[in-house]
C-alpha cells in the first residue's frame, strides 16, 4: 500500500472521512498521517536486523589509511560479511572480525609502525569506538575493494505514492499500530487494546517469517 492508502485504511477502521490528497488533511486525518510514520518507526526499531533493511555496499581502500566512515544510512554493520578483493583478477577473501580491544592488544602496535613496513592486504576488520570501520594490516595501496552488508535506517513517507520499507504483506501491522495510536488519542481504551493485540500478533508473525526462519540450505 502507498502512504495515502495506509492513511485511508486507518481512517476507515475508525469511521472517519478518507483523504483524497495528502495536503488536504485536517484534524484526525493529520494525526493519522503522523501515526503511520510513527508506526513504521516502531516496527523497524523493534529489531536490529530486519532483512528488508539490509544493503550491500563496498569501498576502495586508501593507501596508508586504516579507518573508513560507513554510509550515513547505516544503522548496524554486519561485520561477519566483510571481504577484500586484491584486484579484479583475484578472488575475494573473508576479513576476520576482531573487537577493538583485541585490535589494541594484538594488532595496533604493528599497524602504527611509522615505517609503514607492516602495511599490506588487510586480513582483519574491527569497529572503532566512534563507529568507523578499521582494517588491519593498514592497506598499502588504493586498489583493494572491501565489500560488506549493513542494515539501513529508513525515511518517513511524505508523498501520497511513497511506500513503506516494510514488505507489503505486513502493511496490516502498520495499520494496526496506527489504529492503536488513533484510539489512544480518542481515549478509546477498549479499542486501543484490541488494536494493540492485533499489532503484537502481526509483529510476532513478522519475526517468525523474517528472522526466526531456519536455514535449510546448509552445506553437508
Amino acid at each position: 500500500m502507498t502512504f495515502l492508502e495506509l492513511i485511508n485504511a486507518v481512517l476507515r477502521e475508525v469511521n472517519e472521512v478518507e483523504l483524497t490528497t495528502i495536503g488536504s488533511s485536517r484534524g484526525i486525518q493529520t494525526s493519522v498521517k503522523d501515526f503511520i510514520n510513527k508506526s513504521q518507526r516502531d516496527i523497524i526499531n523493534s529489531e536490529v536486523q530486519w532483512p528488508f533493511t539490509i544493503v550491500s555496499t563496498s569501498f576502495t581502500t586508501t593507501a596508508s589509511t586504516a579507518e573508513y566512515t560507513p554510509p550515513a544510512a547505516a544503522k548496524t554493520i554486519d561485520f561477519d560479511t566483510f571481504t577484500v578483493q586484491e584486484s579484479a583478477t583475484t578472488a575475494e577473501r573473508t576479513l576476520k572480525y576482531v573487537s577493538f580491544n583485541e585490535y589494541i592488544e594484538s594488532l595496533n602496535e604493528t599497524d602504527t609502525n611509522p615505517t609503514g613496513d607492516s602495511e599490506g592486504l588487510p586480513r582483519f576488520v574491527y569497529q572503532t569506538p566512534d563507529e568507523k570501520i578499521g582494517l588491519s594490516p593498514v592497506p598499502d595501496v588504493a586498489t583493494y575493494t572491501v565489500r560488506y552488508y549493513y542494515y539501513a535506517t529508513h525515511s518517513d513517507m511524505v508523498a501520497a505514492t511513497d511506500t513503506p520499507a516494510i514488505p507489503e504483506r505486513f502493511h496490516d501491522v502498520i495499520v494496526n499500530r496506527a489504529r492503536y495510536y488513533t484510539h489512544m488519542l480518542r481515549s478509546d481504551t477498549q479499542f486501543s487494546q484490541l488494536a494493540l493485540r492485533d499489532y503484537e500478533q502481526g509483529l510476532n508473525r513478522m519475526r517468525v517469517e523474517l528472522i526466526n526462519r531456519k536455514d535449510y540450505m546448509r552445506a553437508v
Side-chain angles (χ1 to χ4, degrees), residues 43 50 52 166 170 202-210:
I43 294 167
W50 286 116
F52 54 82
I166 297 165
F170 300 116
L203 192 62
N204 287 336
R205 175 165 51 93
M206 289 181 65
R207 291 189 172 111
V208 169
E209 293 188 24
L210 299 176

Side-chain angles (χ1 to χ4, degrees), residues 19 24 98 119 145 199:
L19 279 176
S24 64
V98 294
E119 294 182 0
T145 300
Y199 163 71

Side-chain angles (χ1 to χ4, degrees), residues 50-174:
W50 286 116
F52 54 82
T53 64
I54 198 166
V55 177
S56 173
T57 190
S58 65
F59 64 86
T60 302
T61 58
T62 301
S64 302
T65 300
E67 298 178 2
Y68 300 84
T69 302
K75 180 172 66 174
T76 304
I77 297 173
D78 189 346
F79 280 92
D80 292 329
T81 64
F82 274 78
T83 63
V84 62
Q85 188 174 26
E86 189 171 3
S87 70
T89 60
T90 60
E92 295 180 32
R93 294 173 51 181
T94 301
L95 293 176
K96 181 181 179 181
Y97 171 74
V98 294
S99 69
F100 187 70
N101 286 340
E102 289 177 298
Y103 169 76
I104 293 297
E105 292 173 1
S106 304
L107 302 169
N108 179 64
E109 184 175 349
T110 302
D111 285 350
T112 54
N113 184 342
T115 66
D117 293 342
S118 62
E119 294 182 0
L121 181 68
R123 293 184 293 118
F124 302 95
V125 62
Y126 59 92
Q127 186 174 39
T128 66
D130 58 351
E131 299 187 336
K132 290 183 179 179
I133 297 166
L135 301 176
S136 178
V138 178
D140 58 335
V141 295
T143 56
Y144 302 144
T145 300
V146 176
R147 296 184 176 87
Y148 66 97
Y149 290 87
Y150 67 87
Y151 293 89
T153 57
H154 75 288
S155 300
D156 283 348
M157 293 174 283
V158 178
T161 55
D162 287 348
T163 55
I166 297 165
E168 186 168 5
R169 69 183 186 275
F170 300 116
H171 285 184
D172 62 304
V173 185
I174 301 175

